[in-house]
Amino acid sequence: VNLNSRRGAAHHHNNHDCITRLIKGFVIFTVSVIIIGYCYFLSSAISTYASTDTGSGGGVGDNDSSSIRGNAITKITNKHNNNNANQPIATIGYAVTVSGCPKDNGSGFGAGISDGAAVLKHSIHLNSIQNYPQTKSRYDYKMYALVHPEAESCARAALEPLGYEILVRDVPVPLEEIEGKFLREKVPANGCCGEKEFVKLHAYTLVQHPVVVHLDLDTLVLKPMDRLYDVMIHGAPKDGSNGGIDVAFGDSLVSSTAAASPDNEINAFFTRDYNMAHSGMKHPGVQGGFLVLRPSLDAYNEFVAIIRKGDFQQNKGWGGLGFGPFYGSMTFQGIIPYFYDHLHPGTGVELNHCVYNNMADNPRDKPTKNDVVSGRCRDGYNRPDKHDECEDCRSHPMEDVVTTHFTLCQKPWECNPQDGNRIQERLCRKFHGEWYRIREDLETNLWGRKSVQLTNNADEILEVRGGGYQMEHFRGYCKQHGKNGYINVDIQSENAVLN
């Protein structure tokens, strides 16, 4: 036997086993790495999907109604800003008030309830995040109607199909509970609606919203009001600027009044009605068709206490301090300036009434003839430093107007063409034309009704809409001059709560 050859064979066999074990180990290691990597990939994908799904659906905190107040608003805002530019910063409450039913069976003010509410709401819709990106607004909206019990029969049927939440509210203080004899006896005949005007104060109870805007039904929103909402929710700009807000007289947004809120909190924006001002008036009233407010039950209860006390003195107004007399001074137009100018100075800001709540009014106390103005500035009666510097809102560029109010311009549903070449009519005609444009957009783009070409198309306009009077201006919704020529909005059930 050759021992050397047997040792060589054994050595060769041992080498072969070693190589085999190395190959097996390498294969096992490689397969293990692949399996572990695949499991890690699956785990990461599932985790990412779960995180994304939770973010888009919203957690409990996102849907909790208690998180819409105070610091929670900032927290939600930051989340929306970081994750989705289409998410609203907040939902603004918009309120209108109906204090009575029309007496003319649907024409005149009847159209003002239904048609005014329909077009007003759509103008708000077009200037909210619901119309993003056509508008750059970051705020959503919800509509409310504060309805006096005597008006429920007409208001509910007219407004509920349009998506208004109906809130039946009586006057905050019954007449017989007003302690002041003069106010108790005289307020029913004061202003447009007597003590029923106080129903507007229920807007302060809508505390589920960070900001509430109260508007009359004959107003129209032309541009977003985000700058006002930003200041009320986040505070005034830290750099001392007005944040792009047109404050009356070019004044500072933040008051220097010693009694102002220590954190410079702004609780209201309003305009004043200088058409009711007169020489010697200490405090002009607010214009009752526009108020941006911070809802607060404390504020509402304070208003109730003021009304119940009834300290409105003859020829001296609220508190005997000159907040009256003027049109509506015993009610909303007088109690609001008394509250913000005297009781809580520095917390309410007067806005430029040519930009907000523009009524195309003559700023001077003498008539305008051939576009030549004359007389003293009405808003200079209590601001001698601005005596000869009043802006004429009738000449203000329409593209810069945020909201308009159909008072002096008359109501759009009266089919008044306002086509005279006078300063008194030129801007009014533009405002009326915009109201009809928004009505047309509501009916065609939102409700899906047939659209028509407005130029050289009289036969189709008459067939589809029925109105042949100044077709390009009134868009087929007027048959003739005057309210009897107006064609009402047909609010059908299939249109209910579409926007």
Side-chain angles (χ1 to χ4, degrees), residues 317-354:
W318 289 100
L321 299 173
F323 293 93
F326 48 79
Y327 183 83
S329 60
M330 293 184 184
T331 61
F332 196 76
Q333 290 93 321
I335 198 171
I336 293 296
Y338 176 61
F339 187 88
Y340 289 109
D341 292 348
H342 175 65
L343 298 177
H344 301 279
T347 62
V349 175
E350 179 186 356
L351 298 172
N352 182 341
H353 70 285
C354 293

Side-chain angles (χ1 to χ4, degrees), residues 126-246:
L126 293 176
N127 289 285
S128 74
I129 199 171
Q130 295 291 332
N131 195 34
Y132 187 91
Q134 283 71 25
T135 178
K136 300 303 181 183
S137 175
R138 297 295 310 282
Y139 290 90
D140 208 342
Y141 71 97
K142 180 174 173 57
M143 305 299 300
Y144 297 91
L146 304 172
V147 178
H148 189 273
E150 294 179 3
E152 184 178 4
S153 60
C154 62
R156 186 176 294 279
L159 303 183
E160 211 164 42
L162 294 170
Y164 284 77
E165 182 174 335
I166 307 300
L167 303 176
V168 179
R169 298 290 186 267
D170 208 337
V171 294
V173 181
L175 274 177
E176 62 273 15
E177 294 183 15
I178 297 177
E179 297 171 9
K181 179 181 178 181
F182 185 79
L183 182 66
R184 183 175 65 250
E185 293 178 350
K186 301 297 183 181
V187 70
N190 190 253
C192 75
C193 314
E195 77 279 7
K196 293 179 183 177
E197 271 285 279
F198 287 133
V199 173
K200 291 181 176 180
L201 296 174
H202 287 287
Y204 283 89
T205 67
L206 300 176
V207 294
Q208 63 270 37
H209 299 282
V211 179
V212 170
V213 183
H214 190 284
L215 298 170
D216 279 358
L217 285 167
D218 58 347
T219 58
L220 196 67
V221 177
L222 303 175
K223 295 179 68 176
M225 291 188 277
D226 287 30
R227 289 171 177 172
L228 305 183
Y229 309 149
D230 288 344
V231 165
M232 294 189 76
I233 292 175
H234 304 299
K238 303 300 182 184
D239 60 4
S241 71
N242 284 359
I245 295 174
D246 291 280

Side-chain angles (χ1 to χ4, degrees), residues 66-140:
S66 65
S67 67
I68 66 172
R69 302 288 297 169
N71 294 332
I73 293 176
T74 303
K75 182 177 181 181
I76 293 174
T77 299
N78 292 337
K79 176 181 177 182
H80 287 155
N81 287 340
N82 292 335
N83 292 344
N84 192 338
N86 294 331
Q87 292 295 322
I89 293 175
T91 298
I92 305 302
Y94 286 83
V96 300
T97 294
V98 182
S99 57
C101 290
K103 300 177 181 179
D104 51 4
N105 298 321
S107 62
F109 186 57
I113 293 181
S114 57
D115 296 30
V119 178
L120 170 60
K121 183 189 176 188
H122 193 56
S123 74
I124 293 168
H125 178 87
L126 293 176
N127 289 285
S128 74
I129 199 171
Q130 295 291 332
N131 195 34
Y132 187 91
Q134 283 71 25
T135 178
K136 300 303 181 183
S137 175
R138 297 295 310 282
Y139 290 90
D140 208 342

Side-chain angles (χ1 to χ4, degrees), residues 33-63:
V33 169
I34 292 173
I35 293 173
I36 292 171
Y38 182 70
C39 291
Y40 178 81
F41 171 79
L42 285 179
S43 175
S44 298
I46 292 171
S47 175
T48 302
Y49 176 79
S51 175
T52 303
D53 185 62
T54 301
S56 62
V60 174
D62 293 341
N63 296 321

